[in-house]
Amino acid sequence: MTTSNYAAMLYPVVESCLPAVVLRAWDRHRLNREVPEDLALEKERVLENLMTFIRHEVEGEEYCVLA
């Protein structure tokens, strides 16, 4: 099984565990991004993109707490 297959299986699991507020922010983030030329590559990287988004959200929350 390749990494892209794992991502395809894990993405729905990870997404289903997120609170509704985070899911709405994730949807807004995805809609605001430019559509990639190679949609197949985007599907393989969707879990990576979600994890990057979550990391940025957490870093933003931590910054707000420190401020």
Side-chain angles (χ1 to χ4, degrees):
M1 190 172 266
T2 64
T3 303
S4 62
N5 289 344
Y6 283 120
M9 291 182 345
L10 285 175
Y11 176 75
V13 174
V14 172
E15 192 178 45
S16 69
C17 296
L18 297 174
V21 174
V22 175
L23 286 175
R24 282 193 290 274
W26 169 238
D27 284 338
R28 281 193 303 271
H29 173 76
R30 287 191 305 175
L31 291 174
N32 289 333
R33 291 180 53 205
E34 293 181 15
V35 177
E37 293 178 16
D38 186 3
L39 291 176
L41 176 62
E42 182 65 20
K43 287 180 182 177
E44 290 179 2
R45 299 189 66 197
V46 69
L47 182 61
E48 181 182 331
N49 292 337
L50 175 59
M51 297 308 291
T52 300
F53 169 78
I54 292 172
R55 184 175 56 252
H56 290 149
E57 289 292 305
V58 169
E59 289 170 355
E61 287 295 321
E62 289 174 346
Y63 179 76
C64 288
V65 168
L66 291 174

